[in-house]
Every structure is written in structure tokens, then in C-alpha cells.
């Protein structure tokens, strides 16, 4: 057994360790400051050690600083005598795979190193998030307690151990801590095999009824996708592109949307495109679904999964309820209504689905931000969503475009777009939202072009399971024709503020269902920018990204 010393290191508290929508995200250089990561991890342990955790899962999306951070976390956890650490081989563990590990091995918590889809590399972003014993992102009560602790922490404990070799599976005993290093991919693949009918999918690939082009965007899902689609399902070798998980994500921006997955989009617009195109993000929880010359918006994807849920083996006995985040379009609400099941509307952030899933009120949920998932883990799961779509396409034996068109014929279509204004000065963005919030009561009945405001409000949420409350979760403006605009500031950026403007315009089945969403929502967008005085406050007239 390795001999080592445990030291108490004096440090000074940082004031900026408040987690956002999904953990603490900062520039790599911020995390590289002396004591920065150490303080945050010790603050977390100070909070959770009270419950005497037995096992903590550790892994990340492989981005720059991942391995250094894991070493630091292990040194602090060993010094704090955490009994067992389960660490992913090579540090590679997608966010949904981490959630699965926590649940499968009944861990008490997980530490996931990721800034999701944010760019990586020496000058990129880094992030750390904590998950609870149910595998879900830590609830606000826990992240607030960690933040409060971080504001006054003055020291942390550190074990002076040798650098761990994470390149192969092994068990190491370090004083009171049993360190277990295992492949973070295998269990996840087995879990998927238990949820889906792999024989049917293999037959589908073999007979060429289905085919796929999956873009791993040089991020964490590369090795997972190869084992799933190529090894387990027999898809053609060329089916997975950008499959090497690189520390800088190949210099790209692994956000699976029409802008950043341009290579995939171009290939799916060719005549010989496969049946399904898909991509995932940095840490494997987001997904993009495309058919041949057909984009499926995340909101529509959720609605279609609910419409055809009986084709998915895990839902063969039905679904009791679904949930979507508030800015996500109401497409899924209409399907839920037709099925006579509950549909919950939660604030942005996967953590708000955790209680609903645990309480078995919902089995399926999703967000406009390219997140889809089910009760099989407590995170959104990009590859699960892709397998669900493959299953539906294989069972129906119809092109994605036809599946969408039939869905809209039945339920009507929510034309949907999101405008992102990035890097706005934080003060200006706050002033804009404050002014908008104040105007909420006076907006009703005002007319802007062809749009008349019906009502406006500030979204608030009371969790139906534990009655916890979330206030100020975005400004909503509803119009008399059923359209809706939502405004909120992103909680995941690292530079200035990002304003998100979400646009939804409903068209029933009697009208044109095949329009271009950006064109159809154009006037609504102009109205939205006028109402919020976006130009006045930010100097911006056009968004940086439209998805
Ligand atoms: C995170 C959360 C999601 C949320 C998204 C949007 O995603 O896990 O639940 O919808 O942020 O965040 P925002 O609009 O505040 O930037 P991810 O994939 O970045 O972890």
C-alpha cells in the first residue's frame, strides 16, 4: 500500500463559485488558479460528508484539464476519507453514463467534469457538477449549500499521493479509500441493450431498412457510439464521424444544432443521405435528430417520441406523464392531452425533472435545448434519444420527413425558433430583464404589428413533490393568436450574459405545415425584440445563433 501524507492547506475563499443551470462553469484558467477547484470540492465534501457517503462516482467528458481535475479531486476525497471512489477509465464518462453508474452501484453522489457543449481546450471552458444519489443533477438546496460553504472556506485537506494511472481497470487502496477504476462505457452499452430491442435494430441495419450518420463532434460520445452502433448493432463503419474524443473537441463547438453540426447537416441534405442523422454534445446528454432533408426540432422530437412511445419496449405498458421545460414548445402538451396523461411544465434545467421521475409522475421529458430523456437515468441522454428514434423509424419503416408530416397533420405544428444574443454586458442584460419584468403588467392588450398581447407573466414553479419553489424563471408573453415569446438569461455561459428569446407560433392542421420555422416566426421575432427593447439595452439587432 502506498505511504503518503495528508496535509491541511490554507486557502482563501472565492466569491464566484455559484453554480448555474448545470454546475459551475468557468474558463479553464479560472479553474487552474491555485485553490480554486480544491476549495469547491472541499466545500462539496463538507456538505455531503455529513451524510457519510460510502461511494462517489467520478468522471468527465475528456476535455482539457479533465485528468488534472480528477487527480485533484481524488487527493481531496482520500484526505477526507471517502470510503470508495469509482472512477472512469481514462476519465471518460458521459453525463448519462455517470447517472447510470450512480444508480447501478447505489453511489451517494457523482462528480462530473464537464462544461457540456461549451468549447474546450487551453482557452476553452471547464465545469464541474454534482449529482445526487438518484443520479440527478444536485437540487438547488445542495448547490446553494455548497456555494454558501465556498464563500467562507479557509482550508482544504489534501493527500499527497502519486498520480493515478487511469489507463486501465484497477483497484487501489489508499488508506481509508478504496479507488476503483473501470471502463465507463460498457455498463452504459449494457443498459441500452436492456432498454431497446437490439436484435430488431441489428436486423434493420442488416436489411438496410435503417441507416445512420452519427456525429460525435470529437467529444465524449465517440467511443460510446462506436461500441453501440458499429459493434453492437452492426452499422456500417462510416456511420460514426468525428468519433475521437479530443481534449479540445477538435477545436469545434460540440453543440448539436443546425449551426454547429454543419458537417452532419450538409451530409443529411444530400440525395444519398442515410435514414437518420444524429449528433450529441460534449458530455453526451444532448441530441440532434435529422432525417433526410428534415430537421426535427427538439420540442417536436419529444412530441413524436410520446406519440409513438408504445413502439419503445421500455414504454410498452404505457406512460403516466411527461414533462417539458417552460420554454420548450407546447407540441408535447397536445399529444399528452390526446392520451389523457399529465404534462408538467418545469423551469429550464434537467434538475427540475428529478423529483417528477423519482415520484413516477413522468417517464419521458425533454427540453428545447436539445435534451431528451426518460426514467432510465436522471440526466438527459443523447444516445438514448438516437436509439429511440432508430427504433421508431425501424418499426414504422417510414422516412423521418413522413413521420413529421403525419405528426403535424394530426396535432398541428408549433413553429419554433430560439434567438441567442451572446456576450452582452451583464449589467445591460440585467437592466433589460428588469425593465421587461416591470412591463409585464402593462403589456396586456397592446398591439405590435399583427400581434396583440393577451397576457404576460414571470414564470414561477412549485415542485409538486417537495413543494420547493423556483422564482424568476423567465418572462412569458402570450398573444391572442396562440403565439408565445419567452425571454430568459442563460445560466450556462462563461462570458458576459446570453439572452435567449424563444419563439413559438402554432399552426393548426388546416394551414401550411411545411413552412420554414425561421421564416414563419420572423415577424414574431421582430415583435419580441421590440417588446424587450433588445437593441436599446444591448446595441444588438441580430442574434449570434438561431436554432
Ligand atoms: C444545461 C441543463 C439543461 C438546460 C440547459 C440550458 O444543459 O442541463 O437542462 O436546458 O443547460 O441552459 P441555459 O439556457 O441556462 O444556457 P447542458 O447540456 O449545458 O448541461
Amino acid at each position: 500500500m502506498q505511504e503518503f501524507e495528508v496535509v491541511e492547506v490554507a486557502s482563501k475563499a472565492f466569491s464566484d463559485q455559484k453554480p448555474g443551470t448545470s454546475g459551475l462553469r468557468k474558463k479553464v484558467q479560472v479553474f487552474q488558479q491555485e485553490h480554486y477547484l480544491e476549495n469547491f470540492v472541499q466545500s462539496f465534501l463538507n456538505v455531503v460528508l455529513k451524510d457519510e457517503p460510502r461511494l462517489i462516482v467520478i468522471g468527465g467528458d475528456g476535455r482539457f484539464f479533465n485528468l488534472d481535475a480528477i487527480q485533484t479531486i481524488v487527493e481531496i476525497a482520500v484526505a477526507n476519507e471517502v470510503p470508495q471512489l469509482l472512477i472512469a477509465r481514462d476519465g471518460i464518462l458521459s453525463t448519462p453514463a455517470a447517472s447510470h453508474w450512480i444508480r447501478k452501484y447505489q453511489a451517494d453522489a457523482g462528480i462530473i467534469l464537464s462544461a457540456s457543449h461549451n468549447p474546450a481546450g487551453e482557452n476553452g471552458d471547464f465545469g464541474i457538477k454534482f449529482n445526487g444519489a438518484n443520479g440527478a443533477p444536485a437540487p438547488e438546496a445542495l448547490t446553494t449549500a455548497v456555494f454558501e460553504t465556498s464563500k467562507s472556506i479557509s482550508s482544504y485537506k489534501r493527500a499527497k499521493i502519486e498520480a493515478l494511472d487511469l489507463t486501465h481497470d484497477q483497484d487501489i487502496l489508499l488508506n481509508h479509500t478504496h479507488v476503483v477504476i473501470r471502463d465507463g462505457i460498457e455498463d452504459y452499452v449494457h443498459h441500452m441493450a436492456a432498454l431497446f430491442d437490439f436484435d430488431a435494430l441489428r436486423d434493420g441495419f442488416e436489411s438496410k431498412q435503417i441507416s445512420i450518420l452519427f456525429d460525435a463532434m470529437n467529444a465524449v460520445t465517440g467511443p460510446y457510439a462506436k461500441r453501440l452502433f458499429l459493434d453492437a448493432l452492426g452499422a456500417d463503419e462510416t456511420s460514426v464521424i468525428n468519433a475521437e474524443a479530443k481534449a479540445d473537441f477538435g477545436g469545434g463547438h460540440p453543440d448539436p444544432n443546425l449551426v454547429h453540426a454543419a458537417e452532419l447537416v450538409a451530409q443529411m441534405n444530400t440525395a444519398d443521405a442515410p435514414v437518420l442523422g444524429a449528433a450529441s454534445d460534449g458530455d453526451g446528454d444532448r441530441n440532434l435528430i435529422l432525417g433526410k432533408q428534415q430537421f426535427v426540432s427538439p420540442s417536436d422530437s419529444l412530441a413524436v417520441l410520446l406519440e409513438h412511445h408504445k413502439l419503445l419496449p421500455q414504454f410498452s405498458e404505457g406512460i403516466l406523464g411527461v414533462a417539458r421545460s417552460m420554454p420548450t414548445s407546447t407540441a408535447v402538451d397536445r399529444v399528452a392531452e390526446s392520451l389523457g396523461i399529465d404534462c408538467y411544465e418545469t423551469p429550464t434545467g434537467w434538475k427540475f425533472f428529478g423529483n417528477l421521475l423519482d415520484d413516477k409522475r413522468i417517464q419521458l421529458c425533454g427540453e428545447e435545448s436539445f435534451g431528451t430523456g426518460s426514467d432510465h437515468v436522471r440526466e438527459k441522454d443523447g444516445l438514448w434519444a438516437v436509439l429511440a428514434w432508430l427504433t421508431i423509424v425501424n418499426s414504422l419503416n417510414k422516412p423521418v420527413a413522413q413521420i413529421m408530416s403525419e405528426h403535424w397533420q394530426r396535432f398541428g405544428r408549433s413553429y419554433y425558433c430560439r434567438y441567442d444574443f451572446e456576450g452582452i454586458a451583464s449589467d445591460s442584460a440585467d437592466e433589460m430583464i428588469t425593465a421587461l419584468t416591470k412591463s409585464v403588467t402593462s403589456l396586456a392588450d397592446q398591439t405590435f404589428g399583427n400581434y396583440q398581447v393577451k397576457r404576460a407573466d414571470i414564470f414561477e414553479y412549485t415542485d409538486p413533490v417537495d413543494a420547493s419553489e423556483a422564482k424568476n424563471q423567465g418572462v412569458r408573453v402570450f398573444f391572442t393568436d396562440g403565439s408565445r415569446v419567452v425571454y430568459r438569461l442563460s445560466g450556462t455561459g462563461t462570458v458576459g450574459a446570453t439572452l435567449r428569446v424563444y419563439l413559438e407560433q402554432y399552426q393548426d392542421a388546416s394551414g401550411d405545415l411545411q413552412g420554414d420555422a425561421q421564416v414563419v416566426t420572423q415577424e414574431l421575432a421582430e415583435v419580441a425584440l421590440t417588446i424587450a427593447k433588445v437593441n436599446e439595452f444591448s446595441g444588438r439587432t441580430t442574434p449570434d445563433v438561431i436554432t
Side-chain angles (χ1 to χ4, degrees):
M1 194 162 69
Q2 199 186 127
E3 296 277 323
F4 57 87
E5 193 191 346
V6 172
V7 291
E8 178 107 20
V9 183
S11 70
K12 60 167 180 50
F14 294 86
S15 58
D16 65 344
Q17 299 196 322
K18 185 173 170 50
T21 312
S22 183
L24 185 67
R25 288 186 194 171
K26 303 277 177 195
K27 287 277 164 213
V28 169
Q29 288 89 345
V30 175
F31 274 102
Q32 284 173 323
Q33 293 173 84
E34 195 178 17
H35 309 315
Y36 193 87
L37 176 64
E38 292 84 343
N39 272 9
F40 194 58
V41 173
Q42 183 69 60
S43 301
F44 168 68
L45 289 178
N46 285 356
V47 173
V48 300
L49 283 174
K50 291 182 192 127
D51 296 327
E52 299 183 4
R54 186 187 57 84
L55 169 63
I56 296 180
V57 162
I58 304 172
D61 62 14
R63 69 177 59 222
F64 181 81
F65 198 55
N66 190 40
L67 295 174
D68 291 341
I70 289 176
Q71 178 69 24
T72 299
I73 292 166
V74 172
E75 290 174 7
I76 295 173
V78 168
N80 282 276
E81 301 183 1
V82 175
Q84 196 176 358
L85 301 175
L86 174 58
I87 307 174
R89 195 203 294 164
D90 296 318
I92 293 288
L93 191 64
S94 77
T95 288
S99 183
H100 175 54
W101 255 12
I102 294 169
R103 296 169 67 78
K104 180 176 164 83
Y105 297 109
Q106 296 173 332
D108 303 284
I111 301 179
I112 305 174
L113 302 164
S114 172
S116 189
H117 53 283
N118 295 19
E122 264 176 84
N123 297 312
D125 291 347
F126 193 75
I128 175 167
K129 59 179 184 161
F130 305 125
N131 285 35
N134 64 350
E140 302 251 311
L142 177 64
T143 53
T144 303
V146 175
F147 174 51
E148 290 303 322
T149 308
S150 76
K151 288 196 287 193
S152 59
I153 195 162
S154 57
S155 69
Y156 54 88
K157 288 185 190 157
R158 180 166 218 152
K160 293 186 161 182
I161 54 174
E162 290 165 15
L164 287 179
D165 177 4
L166 297 182
T167 59
H168 60 276
D169 294 359
Q170 56 172 322
D171 291 47
I172 313 166
L173 190 61
L174 295 167
N175 265 5
H176 302 276
T177 307
H178 181 193
V179 176
V180 180
I181 299 162
R182 291 288 182 274
D183 175 17
I185 300 168
E186 196 175 328
D187 279 332
Y188 178 83
V189 171
H190 284 157
H191 193 34
M192 292 302 114
L195 292 170
F196 294 96
D197 184 345
F198 272 24
D199 289 338
L201 289 173
R202 253 193 306 268
D203 289 348
F205 276 112
E206 202 178 348
S207 65
K208 306 221 180 301
Q209 178 157 304
I210 49 172
S211 49
I212 188 171
L213 185 63
F214 179 82
D215 188 348
M217 303 188 90
N218 290 309
V220 80
T221 52
Y224 289 84
K226 284 211 260 181
R227 278 207 227 169
L228 271 173
F229 301 128
L230 310 188
D231 302 349
L233 299 178
D236 191 82
E237 282 291 320
T238 56
S239 303
V240 182
I241 56 172
N242 299 315
E244 197 190 329
K246 296 184 178 164
D248 66 349
F249 299 150
H253 191 152
D255 196 357
N257 59 40
L258 295 178
V259 177
H260 295 302
E263 180 183 352
L264 173 75
V265 173
Q267 294 208 42
M268 290 307 294
N269 282 335
T270 60
D272 56 356
V275 176
L276 195 74
S280 191
D281 69 333
D283 62 330
D285 55 4
R286 297 185 174 207
N287 75 92
L288 165 68
I289 299 293
L290 301 166
K292 190 183 281 193
Q293 289 158 2
Q294 179 70 54
F295 166 57
V296 181
S297 79
S299 299
D300 277 348
S301 172
L302 179 63
V304 170
L305 291 186
L306 180 60
E307 180 185 8
H308 297 294
H309 69 274
K310 286 268 170 76
L311 299 175
L312 304 175
Q314 76 187 90
F315 300 138
S316 58
E317 293 190 359
I319 276 183
L320 297 175
V322 287
R324 63 167 170 84
S325 66
M326 180 273 284
T328 304
S329 96
T330 52
V332 73
D333 302 34
R334 294 188 287 277
V335 184
E337 196 184 350
S338 79
L339 292 167
I341 63 169
D342 290 333
C343 181
Y344 295 84
E345 186 177 37
T346 59
T348 293
W350 205 262
K351 58 192 168 204
F352 292 102
F353 295 136
N355 278 350
L356 300 174
L357 290 161
D358 284 350
D359 205 44
K360 301 195 189 317
R361 289 171 185 244
I362 64 165
Q363 287 72 40
L364 179 70
C365 43
E367 298 185 281
E368 54 66 41
S369 53
F370 295 82
T372 326
S374 84
D375 57 356
H376 70 287
V377 287
R378 293 293 180 273
E379 288 276 5
K380 52 191 184 277
D381 188 344
L383 287 165
W384 174 88
V386 178
L387 288 166
W389 266 91
L390 271 178
T391 301
I392 288 170
V393 171
N394 195 30
S395 305
L396 297 176
N397 195 15
K398 291 175 183 172
V400 172
Q402 188 182 341
I403 294 172
M404 291 317 301
S405 141
E406 289 176 3
H407 173 80
W408 294 328
Q409 281 297 336
R410 191 168 160 208
F411 295 101
R413 177 174 178 188
S414 282
Y415 282 103
Y416 192 85
C417 263
R418 185 178 98 184
Y419 282 27
D420 291 343
F421 297 84
E422 296 171 352
I424 302 178
S426 297
D427 289 353
S428 312
D430 289 342
E431 281 165 21
M432 185 189 326
I433 293 294
T434 305
L436 189 58
T437 303
K438 280 194 191 138
S439 74
V440 151
T441 44
S442 57
L443 275 173
D445 299 330
Q446 287 193 46
T447 300
F448 300 85
N450 289 313
Y451 292 86
Q452 189 185 1
V453 177
K454 190 174 169 199
R455 68 184 178 90
D457 67 8
I458 321 272
F459 183 62
E460 295 182 352
Y461 179 67
T462 303
D463 186 299
V465 180
D466 66 10
S468 57
E469 293 183 343
K471 306 234 182 253
N472 292 322
Q473 296 297 316
V475 177
R476 307 188 290 186
V477 182
F478 300 90
F479 298 89
T480 51
D481 70 345
S483 309
R484 181 186 74 155
V485 173
V486 175
Y487 308 85
R488 59 179 283 281
L489 297 181
S490 159
T492 58
T494 57
V495 181
T498 294
L499 169 72
R500 303 207 193 285
V501 182
Y502 309 80
L503 311 160
E504 177 178 2
Q505 178 145 335
Y506 179 64
Q507 172 60 63
D508 67 25
S510 67
D512 178 11
L513 299 170
Q514 297 295 332
D516 177 322
Q518 283 190 29
V519 174
V520 173
T521 56
Q522 172 96 42
E523 192 191 340
L524 184 61
E526 284 161 19
V527 168
L529 303 197
T530 303
I531 289 176
K533 301 191 175 75
V534 173
N535 187 13
E536 200 174 299
F537 282 101
S538 71
R540 301 286 184 80
T541 48
T542 48
D544 299 279
V545 181
I546 301 180
T547 49

